[in-house]
């Protein structure tokens, strides 16, 4: 792919910062509070799970504690609430046995200046 002045470029910021996420009753994210702002979900979110590499961290859990290996992820298209700001992509992650969501990365689409 060739980047031209008309083609977008993807800029990504890697963070891993704690954020608050608001969900609807069905468990779908509605908004994210990050850096003192509310970012509203503006498109269909993407949801998946990955596996924690427990063999690297050497974490153990008591028997019967539940799922200790699934890492939950959401990829959200968001914009500042009550605005028509440009869309950004937030990638969220929550580790096994954690209640805290982490903002793993932010991507936005900009244009290449000439």
């Amino acid at each position: 792919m060739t980047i031209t002045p008309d083609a977008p470029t993807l800029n990504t910021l890697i963070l891993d910062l704690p954020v608050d996420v608001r969900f609807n009753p069905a468990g779908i994210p509605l908004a994210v509070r990050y850096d003192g702002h509310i970012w509203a979900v503006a498109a269909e979110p993407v949801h998946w799970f990955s596996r924690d590499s427990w063999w690297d961290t050497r974490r153990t859990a008591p028997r019967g504690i539940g799922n200790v290996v699934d890492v939950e992820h959401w990829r959200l298209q968001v914009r500042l609430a009550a605005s028509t700001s440009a869309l950004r992509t937030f990638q969220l992650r929550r580790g096994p046995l954690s209640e805290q969501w982490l903002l793993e990365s932010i991507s936005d689409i900009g244009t290449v200046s000439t």
Side-chain angles (χ1 to χ4, degrees):
M1 177 176 143
T2 304
I3 295 189
T4 66
D6 298 320
T9 181
L10 190 62
N11 301 309
T12 302
L13 179 62
I14 306 300
L15 299 168
D16 271 351
L17 296 173
V19 292
D20 295 321
V21 183
R22 183 173 162 210
F23 292 90
N24 71 14
I28 308 297
L30 296 172
V32 177
R33 181 183 298 274
Y34 163 67
D35 197 29
H37 300 283
I38 302 293
W39 295 84
V41 176
E44 185 76 25
V46 178
H47 187 223
W48 74 96
F49 290 87
S50 65
R51 295 289 184 170
D52 184 35
S53 56
W54 57 267
W55 53 90
D56 288 335
T57 61
R58 303 285 189 242
R59 283 185 289 204
T60 60
R63 184 179 205 145
I65 193 77
N67 185 339
V68 295
V69 295
D70 283 338
V71 178
E72 187 173 8
H73 300 268
W74 284 98
R75 182 174 299 129
L76 310 172
Q77 296 289 306
V78 298
R79 66 172 35 117
L80 284 171
S83 79
T84 57
S85 67
L87 286 174
R88 292 189 175 179
T89 301
F90 282 11
Q91 189 152 314
L92 307 177
R93 179 184 80 240
R94 183 175 68 175
L97 304 176
S98 177
E99 296 295 320
Q100 180 64 62
W101 284 95
L102 297 176
L103 178 56
E104 191 169 56
S105 66
I106 298 174
S107 303
D108 66 330
I109 297 177
T111 55
V112 177
S113 60
T114 56

